[in-house]
Amino acid sequence: MTTTRARTEPDHAHGADPHADHTAPAAAGAQQGGHGPHGYSAQKDAHLKRLRRIEGQIRGLQRMVDEDVYCIDVLTQVSASTKALQSFALSLLEEHLRHCVAAAAEQGGAELDAKVAEATAAISRLLRS
């Protein structure tokens, strides 16, 4: 499903991210757990593209329900959307381990323990979902 969005806000015309949270702190380091660029930063464009594709899948689900599509077909699309989100989450987790946890391992001590605990909690949440 391909859609075209009208870009009427001045920020969009100047290349600003239309999906950015403009209420968030300006500095990346000010974000929770932030110490500069995050592990996913190098792949940010690819991640945003992937999320927009998943967003399209969800909109497709809305359309299917609106059009009274057969329930098994809707469930098949729900499964595909869920798998896409899980795959995205695993990709982010891998980047977190390679970047954030690896950097903390160089420092050792409490920083490493905190990053490992954080990653473990994230894995636990993913397994429960």
Side-chain angles (χ1 to χ4, degrees), residues 102-115:
E106 290 177 7
Q107 295 177 12
E111 181 71 16
L112 175 58
D113 292 341
K115 290 297 181 186

Side-chain angles (χ1 to χ4, degrees), residues 20-39:
D21 179 2
H22 298 290
T23 62
Q31 296 174 359
Q32 180 181 351
H35 293 85
H38 298 292

Side-chain angles (χ1 to χ4, degrees), residues 83-94:
K83 293 293 183 191
L85 276 172
Q86 289 172 338
S87 176
F88 175 74
L90 286 175
S91 175
L92 280 182
L93 178 61
E94 180 180 5

Side-chain angles (χ1 to χ4, degrees), residues 54-74:
I54 293 168
E55 180 182 22
Q57 287 180 292
I58 302 305
R59 287 186 182 165
L61 278 166
Q62 292 171 336
R63 188 193 80 250
M64 292 172 82
V65 170
D66 186 51
E67 295 174 358
D68 293 320
V69 172
Y70 183 59
C71 47
I72 295 300
D73 294 338
V74 175

